[in-house]
Amino acid sequence: MARITAGVASSHIPALGASIDNGKTAEPYWASCFAGFDWTRAWEAAQKPDVVILVFNDHASAFDMNIIPTFAIGCGERYASADEGWGPRPVPDVIGDPDLAWHIAQSCILDEFDMTIVNTMDVDHGLTVPLSLMFGQPEAWPCKVVPLAVNVVTYPPPTGNRCYALGEAIARAVASYPEDLNVQIWGTGGMSHQLQGPRAGLINAEWDQRFLDDLTADPQRLRHIPHIEYLRETGSEGIELVMWLIMRGALGAGVKELHRHYHVPASNTAVGHIVLEPTD
Ligand code: DHB
Ligand code: FE
């Protein structure tokens, strides 16, 4: 039987990818930011997940105003790197797990979550930066990935509550998959960030830290945070945090926090990272 053994969350700031790709991680601006991921890279090397269900958002690399799926699950064989800004990152293709992905799609759709099935898609920094942070710069990524793209770019994004419930449905899907697989689920994006306008650079460290605390202490509070609170307190792109709630919902009632990192600034945003283990 497949098992969800851990949840990981991380910001996916494109400048982190550019820093890695251009050999700048040891520079004074970046060193302490990247140091917070050393623990996780060593832990991942020991955990050896077979598959990561990677919850991310596309930034107009695969989807644009022509098509805006709320929840899109990647059921393809592989995904190439794409990006705006610095351009496609020089990282290996991401290898999918079509059998598991189709199983999750079927299970979630019959569980009344109307997933969009995507067989062809390029993946941008939303997905590749977390892979680099957790796995470094290997010739090939060490596990398969089931990409789950969430619309947090164009209003209306899904509610945190809906995301949490989707995580619970994904956990049921994984638990009913017969193959013996070590599966992790990752949530990406966040934390405080506002990239444009008069409030650009807004950082609310107190709010961010409470969100990190309550992933363990009070996840029921998090699932009911309204969109307007994310926007007001963490900036317009802070809404990416609803994706962390898919990860959290998939872990069950109790979790243990194994590792946390919070750093400001990278680009003009806060970096948040946490590793959780289910306890039930
Ligand atoms: C930036 C872009 C993002 O998608 C994000 O999540 C954080 C930061 C940026 O351009 O700095
Ligand atoms: Fe983003």
Side-chain angles (χ1 to χ4, degrees), residues 24-33:
K24 296 188 171 177
T25 58
E27 289 185 358
Y29 179 83
W30 290 112
S32 59
C33 175

Side-chain angles (χ1 to χ4, degrees), residues 10-35:
S10 164
S11 306
H12 60 216
I13 304 160
L16 296 174
S19 174
I20 293 168
D21 301 339
N22 294 299
K24 296 188 171 177
T25 58
E27 289 185 358
Y29 179 83
W30 290 112
S32 59
C33 175
F34 282 104

Side-chain angles (χ1 to χ4, degrees), residues 58-111:
D58 174 71
H59 304 72
S61 302
F63 308 121
D64 55 25
M65 291 305 281
N66 287 306
I67 180 162
I68 308 169
T70 300
F71 297 119
I73 183 163
C75 295
E77 299 275 355
R78 64 196 303 138
Y79 309 93
S81 166
D83 235 310
E84 25 90 47
W86 279 279
R89 297 188 54 220
V91 291
D93 276 4
V94 173
I95 305 304
D97 187 335
D99 289 343
L100 176 62
W102 275 100
H103 172 84
I104 294 172
Q106 171 180 308
S107 180
C108 287
I109 290 168
L110 298 182
D111 216 353

